[in-house]
């Protein structure tokens, strides 16, 4: 039988055997296109700092001045006495930016997704999720008590068949940009479907917010979606905005409902006020510096053109996430190690994060990269392929 130690050891042994063991890097520098690990400098192509804001001097300065004014810890949950002026200002700014009546901050995207789904859904309801949705959405749906159904990736017809046969309150949940594939949800078609079948659409725009659309509002702006068509809009602040935390934006009723009922909102310490203040500064930069989105878009086009010419296994992504499909987990790890030896940080993404047999190198581009850095990456990838 054995106890917990034996069980843990067995799991770890299995992970080793299947090339699925994970290791953490310890950074010795701030996040950016160049990072230091173990005394060595690397070109970083695996962060989600899409606009290069994580260590931006204006954001750092705003963080420090807010810490001086408000201290470091928020001291309590939002409903007790942890809600301060920077939180309120950030919520108001996010609501205005996304064109929603209100917005509500959560301490992380994972908590926001679990909190939104578990407070909106009840037993007897239906929740439909794309099978490639982020783990936090899948976990939230599974634990919500509602009947949980996955549909094949971006398959609007399959979803329609499921919606037709469901009787009850229905919610459809998708990533705006899929985190491990980089492709986007067919939001216009999904919104139309939801309208026809009286379902609510929830969009997790962790990877679109700040990056996509004319103003950087994200996937919904890019798809030209009416506010009413995506009643639950969620996004994170730890990716393009370069800070931490997450928010949900929507109607007065939605936000007030979450404040009253969401256990993930109620029973946790508020984000540090300085993080909220830093996020406000980041949002200003998103508004003031559209060149970041423009430069990133150019890098994406350049990378794809170069990779195509080299015959690299690109996936159908137009976003900053540009995975190269490898297949075998061991091979993906070997490639990632080989690239690290040459000074390039690129993560090998393996099951259970992605389906078995679809391990990949997840390359992410950032507005902080130069064209020369992207060209260097292409040169190095050319030296690695074909792989075996
Ligand atoms: C990163 C991510 C989350 C989780 O956000 P955190 O703030 O990192 O907890 C949720 N959804 C998607 C699609 C993500 O990529």
């Amino acid at each position: 039988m054995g106890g917990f130690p034996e069980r843990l050891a067995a799991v770890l042994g299995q992970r080793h055997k299947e090339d699925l063991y994970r290791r953490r890097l310890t950074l010795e520098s701030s996040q950016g296109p160049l990072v230091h690990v173990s005394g060595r400098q690397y070109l970083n192509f695996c962060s989600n700092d899409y606009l290069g804001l994580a260590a931006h001097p204006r954001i750092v300065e705003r963080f420090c001045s807010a810490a001086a004014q408000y201290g470091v810890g928020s001291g309590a949950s939002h409903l007790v006495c942890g809600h301060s002026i920077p939180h309120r200002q950030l919520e108001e700014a996010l609501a205005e930016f996304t064109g929603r009546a209100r917005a509500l901050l959560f301490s992380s995207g994972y908590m926001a997704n679990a909190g939104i789904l578990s407070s909106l859904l009840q037993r007897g309801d239906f929740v439909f999720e794309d099978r490639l949705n982020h783990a936090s959405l899948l976990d939230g749906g599974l634990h919500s008590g509602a009947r949980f159904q996955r549909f094949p990736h971006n398959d609007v017809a399959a979803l329609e068949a499921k919606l037709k046969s469901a009787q009850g309150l229905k919610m459809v949940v998708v990533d705006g940009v899929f985190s491990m594939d980089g492709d986007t949800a067919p939001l216009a078609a999904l919104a139309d479907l939801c309208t026809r079948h009286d379902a609510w659409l929830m969009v997790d725009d962790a990877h679109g917010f700040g990056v996509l659309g004319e103003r950087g509002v994200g996937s919904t702006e890019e798809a030209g979606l009416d506010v009413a068509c995506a009643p639950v809009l969620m996004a994170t602040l730890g990716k393009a905005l370069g800070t931490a935390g997450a928010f949900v934006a929507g109607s007065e009723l939605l936000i007030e409902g979450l404040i009253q009922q969401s256990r993930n909102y109620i029973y946790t310490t508020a984000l540090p006020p300085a993080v909220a203040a830093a996020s406000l500064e980041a949002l200003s930069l998103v508004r003031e510096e559209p060149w970041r989105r423009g430069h990133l878009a150019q890098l994406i086009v350049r990378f794809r053109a170069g990779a195509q010419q080299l015959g690299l296994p690109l996936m159908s992504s137009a976003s900053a996430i540009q995975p190269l499909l490898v297949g075998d987990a061991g091979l993906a790890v070997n490639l990632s190690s080989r690239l690290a030896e040459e000074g390039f940080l690129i993560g090998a993404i393996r099951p259970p994060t992605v389906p078995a047999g679809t391990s990949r190198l997840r390359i992410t581009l950032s507005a902080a990269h130069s064209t020369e850095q992207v060209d260097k990456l292409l040169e190095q990838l050319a030296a690695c392929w074909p792989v075996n």
Side-chain angles (χ1 to χ4, degrees), residues 240-253:
L241 265 69
T243 59
F247 71 93
V248 54
S251 67
E252 177 72 33
L253 199 60

Side-chain angles (χ1 to χ4, degrees), residues 118-157:
S118 61
S119 41
L120 292 181
L121 294 162
Q122 293 180 7
R123 199 165 292 283
D125 299 343
F126 288 83
V127 57
F128 303 94
E129 298 209 20
D130 189 292
R131 65 183 284 270
L132 296 189
N133 274 359
H134 190 262
S136 56
L137 292 172
L138 296 172
D139 292 355
L142 266 171
H143 300 147
S144 67
R147 262 178 282 183
F148 174 74
Q149 297 190 15
R150 271 176 258 230
F151 57 90
H153 182 49
N154 280 348
D155 190 336
V156 178

Side-chain angles (χ1 to χ4, degrees), residues 20 56 67 89 117 152 156 172 176 193 199 222 261 270 287 304 307 314 319 374:
L20 300 181
H56 192 286
Q89 289 174 333
L117 292 169
V156 178
V172 172
L193 194 63
E222 179 103 340
Q261 302 183 77
R287 292 174 133 138
R304 286 189 67 84
L314 283 168
S319 74
V374 170

Side-chain angles (χ1 to χ4, degrees), residues 30-235:
S30 63
Q31 197 57 254
L34 294 171
V35 292
H36 289 252
V37 180
S38 305
R40 183 169 171 197
Q41 181 171 274
Y42 290 89
L43 257 173
N44 179 9
F45 284 101
C46 55
S47 94
N48 301 316
D49 182 21
Y50 302 124
L51 297 179
L53 297 181
H56 192 286
R58 255 175 68 182
I59 299 175
V60 173
E61 194 183 318
R62 183 78 173 265
F63 180 87
C64 293
S65 67
Q69 189 173 359
Y70 294 95
V72 173
S74 65
S77 64
H78 283 280
L79 297 192
V80 178
C81 63
H83 191 71
S84 56
I85 286 176
H87 296 120
R88 196 181 75 198
Q89 289 174 333
L90 178 58
E91 288 182 344
E92 287 170 359
L94 289 168
E96 199 231 300
F97 185 62
T98 58
R100 265 70 181 172
R102 283 182 75 184
L104 184 70
L105 290 176
F106 278 82
S107 299
S108 78
Y110 194 104
M111 288 179 57
N113 283 337
I116 293 162
L117 292 169
S118 61
S119 41
L120 292 181
L121 294 162
Q122 293 180 7
R123 199 165 292 283
D125 299 343
F126 288 83
V127 57
F128 303 94
E129 298 209 20
D130 189 292
R131 65 183 284 270
L132 296 189
N133 274 359
H134 190 262
S136 56
L137 292 172
L138 296 172
D139 292 355
L142 266 171
H143 300 147
S144 67
R147 262 178 282 183
F148 174 74
Q149 297 190 15
R150 271 176 258 230
F151 57 90
H153 182 49
N154 280 348
D155 190 336
V156 178
L159 172 61
E160 177 151 37
K162 287 179 185 287
L163 281 168
K164 269 187 184 153
S165 64
Q167 295 298 324
L169 291 187
K170 295 167 240 181
M171 175 122 58
V172 172
V173 184
V174 293
D175 281 17
V177 176
F178 288 86
S179 53
M180 298 301 137
D181 292 55
D183 60 343
T184 50
L187 288 181
L190 289 170
D192 176 56
L193 194 63
C194 286
T195 306
R196 284 190 285 112
H197 292 275
D198 206 19
W200 252 22
L201 178 62
M202 169 174 173
V203 179
D204 171 344
D205 210 16
H207 301 277
F209 183 66
V211 180
L212 296 180
E214 178 88 17
R215 296 185 305 124
V217 177
S219 308
T220 53
E221 186 192 12
E222 179 103 340
L225 272 206
D226 218 52
V227 167
C229 291
V232 187
L233 175 65
M234 173 274 180

